[in-house]
Amino acid sequence: DNNGLRFGGWLYSAHYTIDILNLIAAIRSIDNPPDSLSIDRGNLFLWGRSLGGDVTARAMTASNKVKAASLWVPATTSLWDQAHFYHYDSPTVADGFSLEALAVEIGKYNRVHGTQLVARDLNPANFIEQVRNPVMIQVSIDDPDARSAWGIEYHFELQEYGVPTVLKIYPGDAHVFAGDLLERAIQADLEFFRAAMD
């Protein structure tokens, strides 16, 4: 994708966040919704899992129109961490090479777009001071597809900035919650969102 940073194997893409921000603006701009569509503009909530958790965290830094958000096993970390995590055990990509490849891709982006972007700029934790509304984070401790530490660390970073945040840690290795765990996570979200409503 020549219009944005889309690295094979890394999760970052600004396009998803832009889509979410456009959706929020669109919902808030509907003046006369049809009878079949009920919109409570004062109570908009976001939910995201894995990459979606990262996208949701980014949207929360850019918009105060979201009442609260829930992030499930979020990839809320730097591109350096992602490059290391997702390529470290790869038989075809040496860890050092994946980090070097990331630096090369960012360099290409900067040349094409005339920017001075650096990888650390892409971590949503760098913009926590812009988050105003509550965030819930739910992780399973041994998730093989996204480090639970990323979400746990993000929770404590939010706390440091005084953002109301709730952390739920579940046993097991689920990246996609299912069965009883899914029910527990959904119920926790519903309670969290209801508590945040006007």
Side-chain angles (χ1 to χ4, degrees):
D1 185 329
N2 293 326
N3 297 316
L5 288 170
R6 301 212 28 170
F7 309 118
W10 295 294
L11 300 179
Y12 174 77
S13 175
H15 302 293
Y16 300 121
T17 305
I18 292 167
D19 287 345
I20 294 300
L21 295 174
N22 286 334
L23 176 62
I24 292 167
I27 289 171
R28 295 181 61 82
S29 71
I30 299 173
D31 289 329
N32 297 305
D35 292 339
S36 61
L37 182 62
S38 176
I39 300 175
D40 183 352
R41 291 177 188 82
N43 287 302
L44 297 180
F45 302 96
L46 287 179
W47 170 87
R49 181 184 65 83
S50 194
L51 169 59
D54 178 63
V55 170
T56 299
R58 293 174 192 285
M60 291 291 284
T61 69
S63 174
N64 63 358
K65 306 301 184 191
V66 176
K67 198 67 161 198
S70 178
L71 318 178
W72 290 10
V73 295
T76 45
T77 189
S78 73
L79 280 181
W80 296 116
D81 285 346
Q82 290 180 20
H84 177 76
F85 179 76
Y86 290 108
H87 290 283
Y88 185 73
D89 294 324
S90 169
T92 58
V93 181
D95 186 47
F97 176 77
S98 69
L99 298 175
E100 182 181 353
L102 173 58
V104 168
E105 289 298 314
I106 291 173
K108 280 188 215 173
Y109 180 88
N110 284 332
R111 284 191 298 281
V112 168
H113 297 283
T115 57
Q116 296 181 347
L117 187 70
V118 293
R120 70 175 176 269
D121 293 336
L122 305 177
N123 187 338
N126 292 339
F127 308 98
I128 283 180
E129 70 276 5
Q130 296 169 217
V131 178
R132 298 286 177 261
N133 295 325
V135 177
M136 171 177 269
I137 297 171
Q138 302 198 65
V139 301
S140 55
I141 198 65
D142 293 318
D143 186 335
D145 296 319
R147 292 187 65 227
S148 58
W150 294 340
I152 295 168
E153 182 179 5
Y154 192 65
H155 162 76
F156 286 109
E157 288 168 333
L158 287 165
Q159 271 194 344
E160 285 182 351
Y161 279 89
V163 177
T165 178
V166 174
L167 174 66
K168 300 273 186 184
I169 302 174
Y170 301 104
D173 60 359
H175 184 62
V176 178
F177 296 166
D180 179 59
L181 178 54
L182 176 62
E183 289 301 317
R184 289 168 60 191
I186 289 172
Q187 285 305 311
D189 275 354
L190 290 174
E191 291 172 16
F192 177 70
F193 290 149
R194 285 182 185 124
M197 291 179 73
D198 287 330

Coordinates of all heavy atoms in Angstrom, one line a residue, residues 15-93:
H15 N -4.8 3.3 8.4 CA -6.1 3.3 7.7 C -7.3 2.8 8.5 O -8.3 3.4 8.5 CB -6.0 2.4 6.4 CG -4.9 2.9 5.5 ND1 -4.9 4.1 4.8 CD2 -3.7 2.3 5.2 CE1 -3.8 4.2 4.1 NE2 -3.1 3.1 4.3
Y16 N -7.0 1.8 9.4 CA -8.1 1.3 10.2 C -8.6 2.4 11.2 O -9.8 2.5 11.4 CB -7.7 0.0 10.9 CG -7.3 -1.1 10.1 CD1 -6.0 -1.6 10.2 CD2 -8.1 -1.7 9.2 CE1 -5.6 -2.7 9.4 CE2 -7.8 -2.7 8.3 CZ -6.5 -3.2 8.5 OH -6.1 -4.3 7.7
T17 N -7.6 3.1 11.8 CA -8.0 4.1 12.8 C -8.8 5.2 12.1 O -9.8 5.7 12.6 CB -6.8 4.6 13.5 OG1 -6.0 3.5 14.0 CG2 -7.1 5.6 14.6
I18 N -8.3 5.6 10.9 CA -9.0 6.7 10.1 C -10.5 6.2 9.8 O -11.4 7.0 10.0 CB -8.2 7.0 8.9 CG1 -6.9 7.7 9.2 CG2 -9.1 7.9 7.9 CD1 -5.9 7.8 8.1
D19 N -10.6 4.9 9.5 CA -12.0 4.4 9.2 C -12.9 4.6 10.5 O -14.0 4.9 10.4 CB -11.9 3.0 8.8 CG -11.4 2.8 7.4 OD1 -11.3 3.8 6.6 OD2 -11.0 1.6 7.0
I20 N -12.3 4.2 11.6 CA -13.1 4.3 12.9 C -13.5 5.8 13.2 O -14.6 6.1 13.5 CB -12.3 3.7 14.1 CG1 -12.1 2.2 13.9 CG2 -13.0 4.0 15.4 CD1 -13.4 1.4 13.8
L21 N -12.5 6.7 13.0 CA -12.8 8.1 13.3 C -13.9 8.6 12.3 O -14.7 9.4 12.7 CB -11.5 8.9 13.2 CG -10.5 8.6 14.2 CD1 -9.2 9.3 14.0 CD2 -11.0 8.9 15.6
N22 N -13.8 8.2 11.0 CA -14.8 8.6 10.1 C -16.2 8.0 10.4 O -17.2 8.7 10.3 CB -14.4 8.1 8.7 CG -13.3 9.0 8.1 OD1 -13.2 10.1 8.4 ND2 -12.6 8.4 7.1
L23 N -16.2 6.8 10.9 CA -17.5 6.2 11.4 C -18.1 6.9 12.5 O -19.3 7.2 12.6 CB -17.2 4.7 11.8 CG -18.5 4.0 12.4 CD1 -19.6 3.9 11.3 CD2 -18.1 2.6 12.8
I24 N -17.2 7.3 13.5 CA -17.7 8.1 14.6 C -18.3 9.4 14.2 O -19.4 9.8 14.6 CB -16.6 8.4 15.7 CG1 -16.2 7.0 16.3 CG2 -17.0 9.4 16.7 CD1 -14.9 7.1 17.1
A25 N -17.6 10.1 13.3 CA -18.1 11.4 12.7 C -19.4 11.2 12.0 O -20.4 12.0 12.1 CB -17.1 12.0 11.8
A26 N -19.5 10.1 11.2 CA -20.7 9.8 10.4 C -21.9 9.5 11.3 O -23.0 10.1 11.1 CB -20.5 8.6 9.5
I27 N -21.7 8.7 12.4 CA -22.8 8.4 13.3 C -23.3 9.7 13.9 O -24.5 10.0 14.1 CB -22.4 7.4 14.3 CG1 -22.2 6.0 13.7 CG2 -23.4 7.4 15.5 CD1 -21.6 5.0 14.6
R28 N -22.4 10.6 14.4 CA -22.8 11.8 15.0 C -23.4 12.8 14.1 O -24.0 13.8 14.6 CB -21.5 12.4 15.8 CG -21.0 11.5 16.9 CD -19.9 12.1 17.6 NE -20.2 13.3 18.2 CZ -20.8 13.5 19.4 NH1 -21.2 12.4 20.1 NH2 -21.0 14.7 19.9
S29 N -23.2 12.6 12.8 CA -23.8 13.6 11.8 C -25.2 13.2 11.3 O -25.8 14.0 10.6 CB -22.8 13.7 10.7 OG -22.9 12.6 9.9
I30 N -25.7 12.1 11.7 CA -27.0 11.7 11.2 C -28.1 12.5 12.0 O -28.3 12.3 13.2 CB -27.3 10.2 11.4 CG1 -26.2 9.4 10.6 CG2 -28.7 9.8 11.0 CD1 -26.3 7.9 10.9
D31 N -28.8 13.4 11.3 CA -29.8 14.2 11.9 C -31.1 13.6 12.2 O -31.7 13.7 13.2 CB -30.0 15.5 11.0 CG -28.8 16.4 11.0 OD1 -28.1 16.5 12.1 OD2 -28.6 17.1 10.0
N32 N -31.6 12.9 11.2 CA -32.9 12.2 11.3 C -32.8 10.7 10.9 O -33.1 10.3 9.8 CB -33.9 12.9 10.3 CG -34.1 14.4 10.7 OD1 -34.5 14.7 11.9 ND2 -33.9 15.3 9.8
P33 N -32.4 9.9 11.9 CA -32.2 8.5 11.6 C -33.6 7.9 11.3 O -34.6 8.3 11.9 CB -31.6 7.9 12.8 CG -31.9 8.9 13.9 CD -32.0 10.2 13.3
P34 N -33.6 6.8 10.5 CA -34.9 6.1 10.3 C -35.4 5.5 11.6 O -34.6 5.3 12.5 CB -34.5 5.1 9.2 CG -33.1 5.0 9.2 CD -32.5 6.3 9.7
D35 N -36.7 5.2 11.6 CA -37.3 4.7 12.8 C -36.6 3.4 13.2 O -36.6 3.0 14.4 CB -38.8 4.5 12.6 CG -39.5 5.8 12.5 OD1 -39.0 6.8 13.0 OD2 -40.6 5.8 12.0
S36 N -36.1 2.6 12.2 CA -35.5 1.3 12.5 C -34.1 1.4 13.1 O -33.5 0.5 13.6 CB -35.5 0.5 11.2 OG -34.6 1.2 10.3
L37 N -33.6 2.6 13.2 CA -32.2 2.9 13.6 C -32.2 3.7 14.9 O -32.6 4.9 14.8 CB -31.3 3.5 12.5 CG -29.9 3.7 12.9 CD1 -29.2 2.4 13.1 CD2 -29.2 4.5 11.7
S38 N -31.8 3.2 16.0 CA -31.8 3.9 17.2 C -30.4 4.3 17.5 O -29.5 3.4 17.7 CB -32.4 3.1 18.4 OG -32.3 3.8 19.6
I39 N -30.1 5.6 17.6 CA -28.7 6.1 17.9 C -28.7 6.9 19.2 O -29.5 7.9 19.3 CB -28.2 6.9 16.7 CG1 -28.2 6.1 15.4 CG2 -26.8 7.5 17.0 CD1 -27.8 6.9 14.2
D40 N -27.8 6.6 20.1 CA -27.6 7.4 21.3 C -26.3 8.0 21.1 O -25.2 7.5 21.5 CB -27.7 6.5 22.5 CG -27.5 7.3 23.8 OD1 -27.2 8.5 23.8 OD2 -27.7 6.7 24.9
R41 N -26.2 9.2 20.5 CA -24.9 9.8 20.2 C -24.1 10.1 21.4 O -22.9 10.3 21.3 CB -25.2 11.1 19.4 CG -25.7 10.9 18.0 CD -26.0 12.2 17.4 NE -26.7 12.0 16.1 CZ -28.0 11.8 16.0 NH1 -28.8 11.8 17.0 NH2 -28.6 11.7 14.8
G42 N -24.7 10.3 22.6 CA -24.0 10.6 23.8 C -23.3 9.4 24.4 O -22.5 9.5 25.4
N43 N -23.7 8.2 23.9 CA -23.1 7.0 24.5 C -22.6 6.1 23.4 O -23.1 5.0 23.0 CB -24.2 6.2 25.3 CG -24.5 6.9 26.6 OD1 -23.6 7.1 27.4 ND2 -25.7 7.3 26.8
L44 N -21.5 6.5 22.8 CA -20.8 5.7 21.7 C -19.6 4.9 22.4 O -18.9 5.5 23.2 CB -20.2 6.6 20.6 CG -21.2 7.3 19.8 CD1 -20.5 8.2 18.7 CD2 -22.2 6.4 19.1
F45 N -19.5 3.6 22.2 CA -18.5 2.8 22.8 C -17.8 2.1 21.7 O -18.3 1.8 20.6 CB -19.2 1.8 23.7 CG -20.0 2.4 24.8 CD1 -21.3 2.5 24.7 CD2 -19.3 2.8 25.9 CE1 -22.1 3.1 25.7 CE2 -20.1 3.4 27.0 CZ -21.4 3.6 26.8
L46 N -16.5 1.7 21.9 CA -15.7 1.0 21.0 C -15.2 -0.3 21.7 O -15.0 -0.4 22.9 CB -14.4 1.8 20.6 CG -14.6 3.0 19.6 CD1 -13.3 3.6 19.4 CD2 -15.3 2.5 18.3
W47 N -15.1 -1.3 20.8 CA -14.5 -2.6 21.2 C -13.5 -3.0 20.2 O -13.8 -2.9 19.0 CB -15.6 -3.6 21.4 CG -15.1 -5.0 21.6 CD1 -14.8 -5.6 22.8 CD2 -14.9 -6.0 20.6 NE1 -14.4 -6.9 22.6 CE2 -14.4 -7.2 21.2 CE3 -15.0 -6.0 19.2 CZ2 -14.1 -8.3 20.5 CZ3 -14.7 -7.2 18.5 CH2 -14.2 -8.3 19.2
G48 N -12.4 -3.6 20.6 CA -11.4 -4.1 19.6 C -10.6 -5.2 20.2 O -10.3 -5.2 21.4
R49 N -10.3 -6.2 19.3 CA -9.5 -7.3 19.8 C -8.2 -7.4 19.0 O -8.2 -7.2 17.7 CB -10.3 -8.6 19.6 CG -9.5 -9.9 20.1 CD -10.3 -11.1 19.8 NE -10.4 -11.4 18.4 CZ -9.5 -12.0 17.6 NH1 -8.3 -12.3 18.1 NH2 -9.7 -12.2 16.3
S50 N -7.1 -7.6 19.6 CA -5.8 -7.8 19.0 C -5.4 -6.6 18.2 O -5.2 -5.5 18.8 CB -5.8 -9.1 18.1 OG -4.5 -9.5 17.7
L51 N -5.2 -6.7 16.9 CA -5.0 -5.5 16.1 C -6.1 -4.5 16.3 O -5.9 -3.2 16.4 CB -4.9 -5.8 14.6 CG -4.9 -4.7 13.6 CD1 -3.7 -3.7 13.9 CD2 -4.8 -5.2 12.2
G52 N -7.3 -4.9 16.4 CA -8.5 -4.0 16.7 C -8.3 -3.3 18.0 O -8.8 -2.2 18.1
G53 N -7.7 -3.9 19.0 CA -7.4 -3.3 20.3 C -6.5 -2.1 20.1 O -6.6 -1.1 20.7
D54 N -5.4 -2.3 19.3 CA -4.5 -1.3 19.0 C -5.2 -0.1 18.2 O -5.0 1.0 18.5 CB -3.4 -1.9 18.1 CG -2.3 -0.9 17.7 OD1 -1.6 -0.3 18.6 OD2 -2.1 -0.6 16.5
V55 N -6.0 -0.5 17.2 CA -6.7 0.5 16.5 C -7.7 1.3 17.4 O -7.7 2.6 17.3 CB -7.6 -0.1 15.3 CG1 -8.5 0.8 14.7 CG2 -6.6 -0.7 14.3
T56 N -8.4 0.6 18.3 CA -9.2 1.3 19.2 C -8.5 2.2 20.2 O -8.9 3.4 20.4 CB -10.0 0.2 20.0 OG1 -10.8 -0.5 19.1 CG2 -10.9 0.9 21.1
A57 N -7.3 1.8 20.6 CA -6.5 2.6 21.5 C -6.1 3.9 20.8 O -6.1 5.0 21.3 CB -5.2 1.9 22.0
R58 N -5.7 3.8 19.5 CA -5.4 5.0 18.7 C -6.5 5.9 18.5 O -6.4 7.1 18.6 CB -4.8 4.5 17.3 CG -3.5 3.8 17.4 CD -3.1 3.2 16.0 NE -2.0 2.3 16.2 CZ -0.8 2.6 16.4 NH1 -0.4 3.9 16.5 NH2 0.1 1.7 16.5
A59 N -7.7 5.3 18.3 CA -8.9 6.1 18.1 C -9.3 6.9 19.4 O -9.7 8.1 19.3 CB -10.1 5.3 17.7
M60 N -9.0 6.3 20.5 CA -9.3 6.9 21.8 C -8.4 8.1 22.0 O -8.8 9.1 22.7 CB -9.2 6.0 22.9 CG -10.2 4.9 23.0 SD -11.8 5.5 23.4 CE -11.6 5.8 25.2
T61 N -7.2 8.1 21.4 CA -6.3 9.3 21.6 C -6.7 10.4 20.7 O -6.3 11.6 20.9 CB -4.8 8.9 21.2 OG1 -4.7 8.6 19.9 CG2 -4.4 7.7 22.1
A62 N -7.5 10.1 19.6 CA -7.8 11.1 18.6 C -9.2 11.7 18.7 O -9.5 12.7 18.1 CB -7.6 10.6 17.2
S63 N -10.1 11.0 19.5 CA -11.5 11.5 19.6 C -11.9 11.3 21.0 O -11.7 10.3 21.7 CB -12.4 10.6 18.7 OG -13.7 10.9 18.9
N64 N -12.6 12.4 21.5 CA -13.2 12.3 22.9 C -14.7 12.0 22.8 O -15.4 12.2 23.7 CB -12.9 13.6 23.6 CG -13.6 14.8 23.0 OD1 -14.2 14.7 21.9 ND2 -13.4 16.0 23.6
K65 N -15.2 11.6 21.6 CA -16.6 11.4 21.3 C -16.9 9.9 21.8 O -18.1 9.6 21.8 CB -16.9 11.5 19.9 CG -16.5 12.9 19.3 CD -17.2 14.0 20.0 CE -16.9 15.4 19.4 NZ -17.3 16.5 20.2
V66 N -15.9 9.1 22.1 CA -16.2 7.7 22.5 C -16.3 7.7 24.0 O -15.4 8.2 24.7 CB -15.0 6.8 22.0 CG1 -15.3 5.4 22.5 CG2 -14.9 6.8 20.5
K67 N -17.4 7.2 24.5 CA -17.6 7.2 25.9 C -16.7 6.3 26.7 O -16.2 6.6 27.8 CB -19.1 6.8 26.2 CG -19.6 7.2 27.5 CD -19.7 8.7 27.6 CE -20.7 9.1 28.7 NZ -21.1 10.4 28.6
A68 N -16.4 5.2 26.2 CA -15.5 4.2 26.8 C -15.1 3.1 25.8 O -15.8 3.1 24.7 CB -16.2 3.5 28.0
A69 N -14.1 2.4 26.0 CA -13.6 1.4 25.1 C -13.2 0.1 25.8 O -12.7 0.2 27.0 CB -12.5 1.9 24.2
S70 N -13.3 -1.0 25.2 CA -12.8 -2.3 25.7 C -11.8 -2.9 24.7 O -12.1 -2.9 23.5 CB -14.0 -3.2 25.9 OG -13.4 -4.5 26.4
L71 N -10.7 -3.2 25.2 CA -9.6 -3.8 24.3 C -9.4 -5.2 24.8 O -9.0 -5.5 26.0 CB -8.3 -3.0 24.5 CG -8.4 -1.5 24.5 CD1 -7.0 -0.9 24.7 CD2 -9.1 -1.0 23.2
W72 N -9.5 -6.2 23.9 CA -9.3 -7.6 24.2 C -7.9 -7.9 23.6 O -7.7 -7.8 22.4 CB -10.4 -8.5 23.7 CG -11.7 -8.4 24.3 CD1 -12.1 -7.5 25.3 CD2 -12.8 -9.2 24.1 NE1 -13.4 -7.7 25.6 CE2 -13.9 -8.8 25.0 CE3 -13.0 -10.4 23.4 CZ2 -15.1 -9.4 25.0 CZ3 -14.3 -11.0 23.4 CH2 -15.3 -10.5 24.2
V73 N -7.0 -8.5 24.4 CA -5.7 -8.9 24.0 C -5.1 -7.9 23.0 O -4.7 -8.3 21.9 CB -5.6 -10.3 23.5 CG1 -5.9 -11.3 24.6 CG2 -6.5 -10.6 22.3
P74 N -5.0 -6.6 23.4 CA -4.6 -5.6 22.4 C -3.1 -5.6 22.1 O -2.3 -5.9 22.9 CB -4.9 -4.3 23.1 CG -4.8 -4.6 24.6 CD -5.2 -6.0 24.7
A75 N -2.8 -5.3 20.8 CA -1.4 -5.2 20.4 C -0.9 -3.8 20.5 O -0.4 -3.2 19.6 CB -1.3 -5.7 18.9
T76 N -1.1 -3.3 21.7 CA -0.8 -1.9 22.0 C 0.7 -1.8 22.4 O 1.0 -1.7 23.6 CB -1.7 -1.4 23.2 OG1 -1.7 -2.4 24.2 CG2 -3.1 -1.1 22.7
T77 N 1.5 -1.8 21.4 CA 2.9 -1.8 21.6 C 3.6 -1.1 20.4 O 3.0 -0.8 19.5 CB 3.5 -3.2 21.9 OG1 4.9 -3.1 22.3 CG2 3.4 -4.1 20.7
S78 N 4.9 -1.0 20.5 CA 5.7 -0.4 19.4 C 5.9 -1.3 18.3 O 5.8 -2.6 18.4 CB 7.0 0.1 19.9 OG 7.9 -1.0 20.1
L79 N 6.1 -0.8 17.1 CA 6.5 -1.6 15.9 C 7.7 -2.4 16.2 O 7.8 -3.5 15.7 CB 6.7 -0.7 14.7 CG 5.4 -0.3 14.0 CD1 5.7 0.6 12.8 CD2 4.5 -1.4 13.6
W80 N 8.6 -1.9 17.0 CA 9.9 -2.7 17.3 C 9.5 -3.9 18.0 O 10.0 -5.0 17.7 CB 10.8 -1.8 18.1 CG 11.4 -0.7 17.4 CD1 11.2 0.7 17.7 CD2 12.2 -0.6 16.2 NE1 11.8 1.5 16.8 CE2 12.4 0.7 15.9 CE3 12.7 -1.6 15.4 CZ2 13.2 1.1 14.8 CZ3 13.4 -1.2 14.2 CH2 13.6 0.1 14.0
D81 N 8.6 -3.8 19.0 CA 8.2 -5.0 19.8 C 7.4 -6.0 18.9 O 7.6 -7.2 19.0 CB 7.2 -4.6 20.9 CG 7.9 -3.9 22.1 OD1 9.2 -4.1 22.2 OD2 7.2 -3.3 22.9
Q82 N 6.6 -5.5 18.0 CA 5.9 -6.4 17.1 C 6.8 -7.1 16.1 O 6.7 -8.3 15.9 CB 4.8 -5.6 16.3 CG 3.7 -5.1 17.1 CD 2.7 -4.3 16.3 OE1 2.6 -4.4 15.1 NE2 1.9 -3.5 17.0
A83 N 7.8 -6.3 15.6 CA 8.7 -7.0 14.7 C 9.5 -8.1 15.4 O 9.7 -9.2 14.9 CB 9.7 -5.9 14.1
H84 N 9.9 -7.8 16.6 CA 10.6 -8.8 17.4 C 9.8 -10.0 17.7 O 10.1 -11.2 17.5 CB 11.2 -8.2 18.7 CG 11.9 -9.1 19.6 ND1 13.1 -9.6 19.3 CD2 11.5 -9.8 20.7 CE1 13.5 -10.4 20.3 NE2 12.5 -10.6 21.1
F85 N 8.5 -9.8 18.2 CA 7.7 -10.8 18.6 C 7.2 -11.7 17.5 O 7.2 -12.9 17.6 CB 6.4 -10.2 19.3 CG 5.4 -11.3 19.8 CD1 5.7 -12.0 20.9 CD2 4.3 -11.5 19.1 CE1 4.8 -13.0 21.4 CE2 3.3 -12.4 19.5 CZ 3.6 -13.2 20.7
Y86 N 6.8 -11.1 16.4 CA 6.2 -11.9 15.3 C 7.2 -12.5 14.4 O 6.9 -13.4 13.6 CB 5.2 -11.0 14.5 CG 4.0 -10.7 15.3 CD1 3.7 -9.5 15.8 CD2 3.1 -11.7 15.6 CE1 2.6 -9.2 16.6 CE2 1.9 -11.5 16.4 CZ 1.7 -10.2 16.9 OH 0.6 -10.0 17.6
H87 N 8.5 -12.1 14.5 CA 9.5 -12.7 13.6 C 10.6 -13.5 14.3 O 11.4 -14.1 13.7 CB 10.1 -11.7 12.7 CG 9.1 -11.2 11.7 ND1 8.8 -11.9 10.6 CD2 8.4 -10.0 11.7 CE1 7.9 -11.2 9.9 NE2 7.6 -10.1 10.5
Y88 N 10.6 -13.4 15.7 CA 11.7 -14.0 16.4 C 11.9 -15.5 16.2 O 12.9 -16.0 16.0 CB 11.5 -13.7 17.9 CG 12.7 -14.2 18.7 CD1 13.9 -13.5 18.7 CD2 12.6 -15.3 19.5 CE1 15.0 -13.9 19.4 CE2 13.7 -15.7 20.3 CZ 14.9 -15.0 20.2 OH 16.0 -15.4 20.9
D89 N 10.7 -16.2 16.1 CA 10.8 -17.6 16.0 C 10.6 -18.1 14.5 O 10.5 -19.3 14.2 CB 9.7 -18.3 16.8 CG 10.0 -18.1 18.3 OD1 11.2 -18.1 18.7 OD2 9.0 -17.9 19.1
S90 N 10.6 -17.1 13.6 CA 10.4 -17.5 12.2 C 11.6 -18.2 11.6 O 12.7 -17.7 11.8 CB 10.1 -16.2 11.4 OG 10.2 -16.5 10.0
P91 N 11.5 -19.3 11.0 CA 12.6 -20.0 10.4 C 13.2 -19.3 9.2 O 14.3 -19.6 8.8 CB 12.1 -21.4 10.0 CG 10.6 -21.2 9.8 CD 10.2 -20.1 10.8
T92 N 12.4 -18.4 8.6 CA 12.9 -17.7 7.4 C 13.3 -16.3 7.6 O 13.9 -15.7 6.7 CB 11.7 -17.7 6.3 OG1 10.6 -17.1 6.9 CG2 11.4 -19.2 5.9
V93 N 13.0 -15.7 8.7 CA 13.4 -14.3 9.0 C 14.1 -14.2 10.3 O 13.6 -14.5 11.3 CB 12.1 -13.4 9.0 CG1 12.5 -11.9 9.3 CG2 11.3 -13.5 7.8

